[in-house]
Amino acid sequence: MTAPVDALSPVRAELLRAARVSADTVRDRAQADVEETLRSARATAEAELARARGLGRADGAATAARERVRAVQDAWTAELAARAEVYAALRAAVLAGVRRKFVEDASLRSRCGKAALRALGPQARVTAASEGGLTAEVPGRRIDLSADALADRALNRLGVLAETLWEPT
């Protein structure tokens, strides 16, 4: 005996083949979409990483620049403090020398008094300064020949030569 012939068998076979072709097409399209999504995600990740590196470099450069400026400012502050210290020591030494000179040379005060009277006239009131030297006054005018004022004038006359105090030798 022969097997009965199923009339729908060719239709089923064709539907099954078409379904397989359609499933393969969907699977291939899904695989292509996955690969494209991965490529796009990798490209985006690489771009973000490059951007982050660039931002990191820029941030690092900015931080380094700020640190350099701060270091220069700190060095300048330290130098100015050292200069002020040297100048204060020089002023103290000059002032001590002027005061010592007033103690050692009694005629110095007399000569200062005569110079003040010549400058202001015989009506000037001459007063001894507490740390050496003197001051003289007439209404509207005053001359300070105290040890402090004379020391400051001597240092002021140094002018820019005072810069040589902190120049390298």
Side-chain angles (χ1 to χ4, degrees), residues 73-144:
Q73 289 171 337
D74 289 348
W76 182 241
T77 299
E79 182 177 337
L80 289 178
R83 286 181 180 195
E85 232 178 88
V86 168
Y87 191 82
L90 174 64
R91 184 182 185 281
V94 170
L95 182 56
V98 172
R99 287 178 179 165
R100 187 174 49 253
K101 192 66 175 170
F102 272 111
V103 169
E104 293 171 357
D105 185 355
S107 69
L108 181 57
R109 184 169 167 210
S110 171
R111 290 193 316 257
C112 285
K114 289 177 185 174
L117 291 174
R118 276 193 308 274
L120 296 178
Q123 73 281 10
R125 190 181 85 204
V126 177
T127 308
S130 62
E131 297 291 332
L134 54 91
T135 59
E137 292 182 62
V138 293
R141 293 177 62 204
R142 181 175 194 272
I143 292 180
D144 187 352

Side-chain angles (χ1 to χ4, degrees), residues 79 82-88 161-169:
E79 182 177 337
R83 286 181 180 195
E85 232 178 88
V86 168
Y87 191 82
L161 290 176
E163 292 288 322
T164 61
L165 295 172
W166 31 83
E167 285 180 356
T169 57

Side-chain angles (χ1 to χ4, degrees), residues 33-104:
D33 286 349
V34 165
E35 289 171 6
E36 178 56 33
T37 300
L38 285 173
R39 261 192 308 275
S40 175
R42 285 184 183 120
T44 300
E46 287 175 16
E48 284 301 311
L49 183 58
R51 188 175 79 74
R53 283 183 181 140
L55 289 173
R57 277 192 294 275
D59 189 41
T63 299
R66 282 191 300 274
E67 287 301 317
R68 280 191 298 275
V69 167
R70 187 174 300 120
V72 167
Q73 289 171 337
D74 289 348
W76 182 241
T77 299
E79 182 177 337
L80 289 178
R83 286 181 180 195
E85 232 178 88
V86 168
Y87 191 82
L90 174 64
R91 184 182 185 281
V94 170
L95 182 56
V98 172
R99 287 178 179 165
R100 187 174 49 253
K101 192 66 175 170
F102 272 111
V103 169
E104 293 171 357

